[in-house]
């Protein structure tokens, strides 16, 4: 069994090598540790090994974990789907939301963001492959939505998030990521001050960094494999195989 600290170290090394290969400065890429289904102890271990940004998909699970870890200065990213009736949980308990795909959700998050907190950082989820199994807006819809979201007072539009379909090899992964990168670049050319391109996971972080990712969301390579059935099945993390 490899410790979370050792696996984190290995992921950081992969990021470093990918940045070197892409001739990009290493500090351009943030590591988000995706801790869904793992219990608070796993996050404590990761934090002790220097990790402070965590991504969660299931809102109730995340809120419970955050309460259990309130003594640690962690940053919480919502990377799961946001239903209209769950926006308040995100507005009140998270620092970032990566999965904005319609204006109504963004408006609710903005209205519900508590005044005592800084604005919620958000990314718009992009679906460049028009994949029916994935959420997200098409490249054509991205810029109009981005302009609307950028005007909302309770939010700060930070950029674009992308989840590709699994692809067979580095070249195929990179080709899809480059399409997300192109859409992100168009936002910047349109004058939107975005700085975050959230793409790359355990299996494709090298290709994502080669295509310009600034934030990789890595779960399995840090915490091990998640038990099938996933949602809410919080595990005793240290013994988790993978
Ligand atoms: C679960 C998840 C990840 C992490 O995936 P791994 O393959 O375990 O690294 C990243 N992004 C999103 C949106 C996820 O749901």
């Amino acid at each position: 069994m490899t410790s979370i600290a050792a696996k984190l170290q290995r992921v950081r090394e992969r990021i470093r090598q990918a940045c070197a290969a892409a001739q990009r400065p290493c500090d351009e890429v943030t590591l988000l540790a995706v801790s869904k289904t793992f219990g608070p102890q796993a996050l404590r271990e990761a934090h002790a090994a220097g990790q402070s940004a965590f991504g969660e998909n299931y809102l109730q699970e995340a809120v419970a974990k955050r309460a259990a870890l309130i003594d640690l200065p962690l940053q919480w990213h919502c990377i799961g789907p946001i239903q209209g009736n769950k926006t308040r949980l995100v507005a009140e308990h998270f620092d970032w939301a990566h999965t904005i795909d319609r204006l109504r959700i963004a408006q609710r998050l903005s209205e519900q963001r508590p005044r005592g907190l800084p604005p919620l950082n958000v990314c718009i989820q992009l679906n460049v492959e028009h994949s029916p199994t994935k959420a997200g807006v098409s490249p054509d819809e991205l810029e109009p939505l981005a302009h609307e979201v950028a005007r909302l007072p309770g939010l700060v539009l930070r950029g674009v998030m992308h989840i590709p379909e699994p692809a067979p090899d580095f070249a195929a992964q990179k080709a899809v990521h480059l399409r997300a990168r192109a859409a992100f670049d168009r936002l910047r050319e349109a004058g939107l001050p975005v700085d975050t391109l959230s793409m790359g996971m355990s299996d494709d972080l090298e290709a994502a960094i080669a295509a310009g990712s600034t934030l990789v969301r890595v779960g399995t390579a840090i915490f091990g494999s998640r038990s099938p059935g996933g949602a809410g099945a919080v595990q005793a993390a240290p013994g988790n195989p993978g």
Side-chain angles (χ1 to χ4, degrees):
M1 184 183 83
T2 316
S3 70
I4 288 173
K7 284 185 280 199
L8 252 179
Q9 204 45 51
R10 172 79 192 109
V11 169
R12 291 193 187 113
E13 179 58 21
R14 283 175 63 189
I15 293 171
R16 199 191 61 71
Q17 286 180 6
C19 286
Q23 296 181 305
R24 299 180 54 195
C26 213
D27 61 7
E28 273 183 24
V29 179
T30 299
L31 172 58
L32 182 66
V34 176
S35 43
K36 63 183 172 212
T37 79
F38 292 93
Q41 188 54 32
L43 285 81
R44 281 194 189 278
E45 276 184 62
H47 179 260
Q51 181 66 29
S52 58
F54 292 90
E56 292 280 343
N57 291 55
Y58 313 112
L59 301 180
Q60 323 278 2
E61 177 195 330
V63 168
K65 241 180 260 186
R66 180 170 173 265
L69 295 166
I70 204 78
D71 56 309
L72 299 180
L74 306 183
Q75 193 184 71
W76 296 92
H77 294 236
C78 173
I79 61 170
I82 306 172
Q83 313 299 336
N85 60 351
K86 296 284 173 56
T87 49
R88 188 174 295 280
L89 285 179
V90 178
E92 292 182 352
H93 297 280
F94 285 86
D95 303 293
W96 285 68
H98 291 229
T99 49
I100 305 300
D101 62 0
R102 51 196 195 277
L103 184 59
R104 189 69 201 117
I105 295 291
Q107 287 169 332
R108 289 177 67 96
L109 290 170
S110 177
E111 285 158 16
Q112 292 169 346
R113 183 67 167 170
R115 290 294 160 260
L117 294 179
L120 182 68
N121 298 289
V122 300
C123 292
I124 295 175
Q125 185 172 352
L126 179 66
N127 183 347
V128 294
E129 298 166 291
H130 305 284
S131 163
T133 62
K134 298 240 156 49
V137 300
S138 70
D140 288 348
E141 295 165 322
L142 177 64
E143 193 184 317
L145 179 58
H147 282 290
E148 303 263 24
V149 170
R151 278 195 278 272
L152 296 172
L155 310 183
V156 181
L157 177 66
R158 297 298 297 268
V160 171
M161 176 282 206
H162 173 232
I163 311 174
E165 292 292 333
D169 55 36
F170 179 90
Q173 291 171 350
K174 185 177 168 188
V176 177
H177 284 313
L178 279 173
R179 290 164 62 192
R181 163 71 185 274
F184 174 73
D185 285 348
R186 281 196 296 276
L187 291 188
R188 297 178 64 129
E189 285 154 19
L192 288 159
V194 290
D195 62 5
T196 300
L197 181 53
S198 165
M199 60 185 193
M201 315 200 296
S202 292
D203 290 336
D204 65 351
L205 71 87
E206 284 84 1
I209 289 171
S213 170
T214 69
L215 184 150
V216 290
R217 308 177 309 266
V218 179
T220 309
I222 296 172
F223 295 108
S225 49
R226 295 177 287 272
S227 62
V234 173
Q235 305 165 358
N240 192 53

